[in-house]
Amino acid sequence: MKNYLLILAILPLSQIALSQSVTFPVKPVPFTEVKIADNFWAPRIETVRKVTIPYALEQCEETGRVKNFEIAGGSATGAFCTKYAFDDSDVYKIIEGGAYSLQFQADTALENYVDRLIDKIAAAQEPDGYLYTWRTIYDKEKAAGVVKEATKGQFHRGSDTRWERVDQHSHELYNMGHLYEAAIAYYQATGKRKLLDVALKNADLVDKTFGWGKLEKATGHQEIEIGLVKLYNLTNEKRYLDLAKFFLDVRGYGEAYMQNHQKVTEQREIAGHAVRACYMYAAMGDITALTGSEEYMPALNALWEDVVGKKMYVTGGIGSAGSNEGFTEPYDLPNFSAYCETCASIAFVLWNHRMFQLTADGKYIDVMERTLYNALNAGLSQTGDRFFYPNPLESRKNVERSPWFACACCPSNVARFFPSLPGYVYAKRGNEVYVNLFTTSETTVENVNSRLQIIPVTISQETNYPWDGRVNITVNPQKPNTFTLKIRIPGWARGDAVPGDLYSFQAKDNSQIFLKVDGKVMPVEVRNGYAIIERKWRKNDVVELALPMPVRHVTANSKVEADADRLTLQRGPLVYCLEGRDQSDPRVLNVLVESEAEATAQFETNLLGGVQTLSLDGFLVKNKTAPDQGETDKLKLKAIPYYAWANRGRDNMLVWLPYSFRAARPVALPTIASKSKVSASEGANGPLESVADQYLPGNSADKENSFVHWWPKFGTTEWLQYDFEKPEQVGTVRVYWLDDEATGGGCRVPASWQVLYLEGGEWKPVYHEIGSPMKKDGWCELNFEPVRTSALRLEITGQEGMSVGVHEWEVD
């Protein structure tokens, strides 16, 4: 090891691979060599530098993530401070983001802080290289004879032995993968190697422990595979590459949740946890490039076709279910309960970018762009200090951005992703230069001429994308140079909403794509998603590209039940939504639009930091008189880009707009329940008002509507209470129970229940001749002797070992 450490110490940073493999057929231009100066991404990146990274570091201090390293290293005392054993990874990811930021702009205060933080991380490392603060703290307490309750914890902890649950939920190797990425990034940014030494010592321990003929276990949460590849790229130590490949090839003996149910070469349908999956497939792409082997490609191609063709949201988000933070059945894409974890969007971008690097096919950048501008960008507030974990496509004022999470993987991931964004703009293969993303920017690449001389070529873009489809690309070679410029022509500009048939534009658009070189119109011939211009380029040659940006109506494949008889609006790469506060009537969940309603675009400088909004005619559905007709009031509707929603507090929001009465929801009439104040026993989860919102579930396991539940309280007696606006005479209640056995949840219909009414300050049971009915997947109606009261209470006793929950509770 000493020899290659010496080599690392003397190598200039320019000779070290920055973030991707050097052997991909197509190589991205590193983010450090691309300057973005537009009005869309540049402010975003600057907000992350000035706000998100310092804020996230502050949160790591306040929540005890940093203190965990201090306790493990002996400079502080106490129990493990946070909820999850993988919380070390948040610190590593933010260091990585800070390192990327330092490569753009010096920040002495940030660098000094990170140096002190690295000292704490190094002190927490055990003598043999092991680094996992929960384990170290646990072992210290165990040796002292008392393991504190806070250290024991509940979720995703390790076990009594190192590595025992590494292929399940211990996250030991997940943490270590993020350590490697942070260490490399900080070394490249500063030349300081203390954290890199920590990472290498740890990697050597992992290599000594795992492998064929050693401990043959897969990772429970994939990530170290990416980190090991980056260590290989930095050190040229092939054992790191071999170890990364081992962690892929050993799979095939466990759960689909962790993509361990089949050998990776045999997987064809994407399943399980979305972030785990995409990190793994990104690593498979890395190793394909580095080894030159095609063994993973049939799986990678089939898996990508599966997710893009059957399991991707129109926003580019993936992972529809919260129960597994991942994938379910094909075309199961509910909107209100859509999970679409922000981390999954980042991982999906990583995977798509690697697929492009392997194939030079623009379809992967098309999908990456959709995710980047919509689902991923929605994960961070405009202020940079509020976050989304899930990114639903419908809200009933039940969603708001959070300042932090107990499981803070998404904020820390955002902090490291956005500073690296310039690295996705350009790419190169030999004397071919790819323009993948459109943003005012500049980079200089090196080509070779016929005399094998290196010719620097500066490529710059000027554009107001994504608001405007006009892009001017200036080519400035140091001397005349023949090379090929490949400019991506997005699928949406060519009439394809996405690769495949999951989403389609409702009508054909005859708008033309225009391409000029030095003022001369060029035919637009697209191959693999790119317009190809091969010529001898001279100083100040200009390419003018004009992409049409009409407002398009997008419809989903008929197999997507959640989007039946609905459309969404798209302009350029941006998907749009309705948010209540932008309308004359905020009840956007009750709107109807015409299937061919014309929408016009206008830029509003003072709205949401400056956005292009869409205006169209619509209707408020007041009442349904038949399945396909009803009473309506005309409305003027305004749509905003999806990424910008929820920056003004809780609100109603809708992405998929009904164009048929069959899909429209009429305005709900007030009821005794909906006008009541709702309260509940301690431990209730979910918006209490949802039990009276009149959104009826399809079945007891339906997660497409809000509900109240008491998980993880098991076999207990709980209550819900309505305090009426005024005394009412009531004699009937109807309850729709939550029972999510079908989706693997822990709630079941109760063992028993009863209704109490308030009289003279005391709760009394209502009188009824028969017992309280019990039913799953339907209403339980109880008729009782009418009482006049100011309040009703629903008392629920759970089955042994099970929790209880309520979808709806009606009162007459």
Side-chain angles (χ1 to χ4, degrees):
M1 182 192 295
K2 290 182 180 178
N3 290 337
Y4 76 74
L5 290 184
L6 178 61
I7 292 171
L8 282 177
I10 62 175
L11 274 178
L13 296 183
S14 61
Q15 294 182 25
I16 297 173
L18 282 170
S19 64
Q20 301 283 351
S21 164
V22 296
T23 57
F24 274 98
V26 182
K27 305 173 184 64
V29 176
F31 70 90
T32 51
E33 297 175 20
V34 178
K35 182 180 180 180
I36 289 180
D38 70 347
N39 294 320
F40 192 86
W41 290 122
R44 198 73 160 147
I45 295 168
E46 184 68 358
T47 296
V48 170
R49 185 183 74 83
K50 287 185 173 180
V51 178
T52 309
I53 292 172
Y55 176 82
L57 288 170
E58 180 182 303
Q59 289 296 312
C60 286
E61 292 276 5
E62 292 181 359
T63 59
R65 283 166 169 79
V66 172
K67 190 175 181 181
N68 286 334
F69 287 99
E70 295 171 352
I71 297 169
S75 63
T77 59
F80 189 77
C81 299
T82 55
K83 186 174 182 180
Y84 298 99
F86 52 75
D87 288 340
D88 293 359
S89 66
D90 296 328
V91 177
Y92 301 145
K93 283 184 280 184
I94 300 163
I95 289 175
E96 184 184 353
Y100 293 156
S101 182
L102 286 171
Q103 294 189 63
F104 286 111
Q105 185 162 337
D107 186 330
T108 303
L110 174 62
E111 187 172 344
N112 289 341
Y113 175 85
V114 173
D115 286 343
R116 294 191 297 272
L117 189 53
I118 289 171
D119 289 340
K120 296 174 183 179
I121 294 169
Q125 187 170 37
E126 297 185 20
D128 65 352
Y130 188 80
L131 182 52
Y132 183 63
T133 63
W134 178 86
R135 156 74 49 209
T136 303
I137 294 169
Y138 175 85
D139 284 349
K140 285 183 176 183
E141 293 177 357
K142 185 179 176 183
V146 179
V147 177
K148 299 179 178 70
E149 286 300 319
T151 303
K152 288 180 182 177
Q154 294 182 15
F155 301 104
H156 301 292
R157 302 295 189 189
S159 59
D160 280 345
T161 306
R162 276 188 192 181
W163 318 120
E164 184 178 346
R165 300 182 65 233
V166 74
D167 55 358
Q168 300 171 51
H169 292 290
S170 76
H171 287 74
E172 287 157 285
L173 296 177
Y174 170 82
N175 279 9
M176 293 166 187
H178 280 302
L179 166 66
Y180 304 165
E181 293 200 74
I184 293 167
Y186 198 66
Y187 173 69
Q188 291 168 343
T190 66
K192 298 174 182 177
R193 55 173 306 113
K194 186 169 188 176
L195 189 60
L196 181 61
D197 289 340
V198 169
L200 291 169
K201 186 175 182 180
N202 178 269
D204 290 343
L205 172 67
V206 176
D207 180 55
K208 180 181 178 181
T209 305
F210 291 88
W212 302 116
K214 307 174 192 176
L215 185 57
E216 297 183 3
K217 282 190 173 185
T219 52
H221 193 312
Q222 301 90 314
E223 213 291 327
I224 195 173
E225 299 86 350
I226 294 173
L228 285 167
V229 165
K230 288 187 176 183
L231 279 181
Y232 165 71
N233 287 334
L234 186 74
T235 67
N236 205 32
E237 276 285 316
K238 188 172 180 295
R239 57 199 175 92
Y240 296 145
L241 178 63
D242 292 341
L243 184 57
K245 191 172 189 307
F246 160 79
F247 282 131
L248 295 176
D249 293 344
V250 75
R251 309 187 85 82
Y253 63 89
E255 301 174 20
Y257 173 77
M258 300 162 181
Q259 296 76 44
N260 199 7
H261 59 304
Q262 294 174 305
K263 290 291 185 183
V264 295
T265 54
E266 297 171 1
Q267 295 183 27
R268 295 294 184 271
E269 295 182 6
I270 199 162
H273 190 269
V275 181
R276 285 171 164 89
C278 290
Y279 279 169
M280 185 173 85
Y281 303 142
M284 289 167 66
D286 285 339
I287 292 171
T288 296
L290 287 162
T291 63
S293 170
E294 294 286 314
E295 63 179 315
Y296 295 150
M297 286 308 295
L300 286 173
N301 289 330
L303 289 159
W304 189 86
E305 294 288 345
D306 185 56
V307 66
V308 172
K310 300 174 183 176
K311 298 170 183 175
M312 180 181 73
Y313 281 92
V314 71
T315 57
I318 57 171
S320 59
S323 58
N324 67 346
E325 295 187 315
F327 302 101
T328 56
E329 299 300 314
Y331 307 106
D332 178 29
L333 295 166
N335 294 306
F336 175 77
S337 62
Y339 203 68
C340 293
E341 183 183 340
T342 298
C343 281
S345 291
I346 292 172
F348 197 38
V349 165
L350 298 180
W351 179 24
N352 273 286
H353 197 227
R354 283 160 169 81
M355 293 297 287
F356 159 72
Q357 290 177 254
L358 288 169
T359 65
D361 196 323
K363 68 181 181 182
Y364 300 111
I365 303 296
D366 285 351
V367 172
M368 185 187 82
E369 179 186 61
R370 177 172 293 275
T371 303
L372 176 63
Y373 275 92
N374 299 289
L376 194 163
N377 200 22
L380 178 66
S381 70
Q382 291 186 317
T383 57
D385 59 357
R386 294 295 182 270
F387 310 92
F388 270 154
Y389 195 116
N391 291 272
L393 281 73
E394 180 180 328
S395 170
R396 301 167 195 165
K397 294 188 177 180
N398 62 305
V399 174
E400 64 181 336
R401 298 178 183 274
S402 174
W404 198 247
F405 305 97
C407 174
C409 54
C410 293
S412 55
N413 226 351
V414 163
R416 74 173 183 139
F417 175 78
F418 278 106
S420 72
L421 178 60
Y424 295 88
V425 178
Y426 300 100
K428 199 167 182 299
R429 177 171 62 180
N431 263 23
E432 298 175 343
V433 179
Y434 293 80
V435 179
N436 285 329
L437 298 178
F438 304 113
T439 175
T440 297
S441 57
E442 182 176 292
T443 191
T444 298
V445 299
E446 291 184 341
N447 287 336
V448 178
N449 66 11
S450 58
R451 299 179 180 178
L452 301 182
Q453 297 173 318
I454 301 297
I455 308 297
V457 180
T458 298
I459 309 288
S460 60
Q461 294 185 57
E462 289 186 13
T463 180
N464 196 29
Y465 196 89
W467 313 122
D468 193 314
R470 291 171 294 178
V471 183
N472 286 351
I473 301 170
T474 302
V475 180
N476 257 316
Q478 193 177 76
K479 60 174 66 174
N481 182 229
T482 299
F483 69 92
T484 302
L485 186 66
K486 294 190 171 184
I487 304 171
R488 183 175 64 93
I489 306 299
W492 55 259
R494 294 181 279 115
D496 297 324
V498 295
D501 65 355
L502 185 56
Y503 302 106
S504 304
F505 292 133
Q506 191 177 56
K508 185 177 180 180
D509 180 73
N510 294 319
S511 302
Q512 298 294 308
I513 300 167
F514 288 97
L515 186 67
K516 295 181 181 179
V517 178
D518 288 341
K520 296 181 180 178
V521 176
M522 301 280 292
V524 182
E525 297 179 6
V526 179
R527 278 181 275 169
N528 290 329
Y530 290 87
I532 300 172
I533 308 172
E534 183 176 2
R535 67 191 300 248
K536 177 174 279 191
W537 299 89
R538 293 176 170 81
K539 284 184 179 293
N540 296 316
D541 280 349
V542 176
V543 178
E544 299 172 73
L545 174 66
L547 300 172
M549 282 193 173
V551 179
R552 306 301 301 269
H553 292 183
V554 182
T555 57
N557 188 297
S558 60
K559 295 177 182 177
V560 184
E561 293 182 6
D563 302 334
D565 296 316
R566 293 174 180 264
L567 61 85
T568 192
L569 303 172
Q570 180 175 332
R571 184 177 184 273
L574 297 175
V575 174
Y576 280 73
C577 68
L578 301 181
E579 196 169 14
R581 67 188 64 239
D582 295 311
Q583 321 305 326
S584 58
D585 190 313
R587 293 175 288 184
V588 298
L589 302 174
N590 307 112
V591 302
L592 178 72
V593 298
E594 294 180 345
S595 62
E596 299 179 0
E598 182 178 348
T600 57
Q602 53 280 320
F603 193 81
E604 298 193 38
T605 305
N606 297 320
L607 180 64
L608 296 166
V611 294
Q612 200 99 31
T613 62
L614 307 179
S615 298
L616 70 159
D617 292 329
F619 306 89
L620 181 71
V621 180
K622 297 170 62 179
N623 181 38
K624 275 190 182 181
T625 56
D628 58 353
Q629 57 186 325
E631 300 175 1
T632 63
D633 286 340
K634 285 188 176 181
L635 289 175
K636 278 287 186 182
L637 300 174
K638 178 191 287 189
I640 63 170
Y642 170 78
Y643 78 82
W645 88 279
N647 277 286
R648 298 168 290 179
R650 291 176 182 259
D651 207 346
N652 295 317
M653 184 275 292
L654 197 64
V655 170
W656 287 98
L657 315 181
Y659 59 80
S660 162
F661 273 102
R662 289 185 296 273
R665 173 180 167 80
V667 173
L669 298 176
T671 65
I672 293 174
S674 68
K675 293 187 294 182
S676 296
K677 177 185 177 182
V678 190
S679 56
S681 57
E682 185 178 358
N685 299 291
L688 298 182
E689 65 275 9
S690 68
V691 297
D693 64 9
Q694 301 180 58
Y695 281 86
L696 306 184
N699 54 60
S700 288
D702 189 355
K703 300 292 179 70
E704 189 61 358
N705 295 297
S706 291
F707 48 82
V708 172
H709 66 91
W710 282 266
W711 188 88
K713 297 177 72 176
F714 305 117
T716 55
T717 297
E718 309 297 342
W719 54 263
L720 277 171
Q721 181 174 318
Y722 283 153
D723 287 286
F724 303 152
E725 276 191 335
K726 58 182 178 59
E728 300 278 2
Q729 181 161 309
V730 294
T732 301
V733 299
R734 286 178 292 276
V735 186
Y736 206 117
W737 303 111
L738 171 66
D739 187 316
D740 55 4
E741 180 179 12
T743 56
C747 290
R748 300 292 184 273
V749 295
S752 63
W753 62 285
Q754 64 172 331
V755 177
L756 308 174
Y757 70 100
L758 189 63
E759 183 179 72
E762 295 183 9
W763 289 104
K764 300 179 179 180
V766 298
Y767 174 76
H768 49 98
E769 294 182 352
I770 59 174
S772 302
M774 194 67 65
K775 185 178 182 181
K776 179 179 174 180
D777 297 330
W779 287 103
C780 291
E781 181 173 308
L782 178 65
N783 296 298
F784 52 87
E785 186 174 295
V787 296
R788 187 169 183 81
T789 183
S790 61
L792 280 186
R793 179 173 283 189
L794 186 64
E795 192 173 84
I796 318 160
T797 300
Q799 300 179 40
E800 184 177 354
M802 294 296 168
S803 301
V804 292
V806 176
H807 279 289
E808 285 289 312
W809 175 24
E810 294 184 347
V811 177
D812 286 328

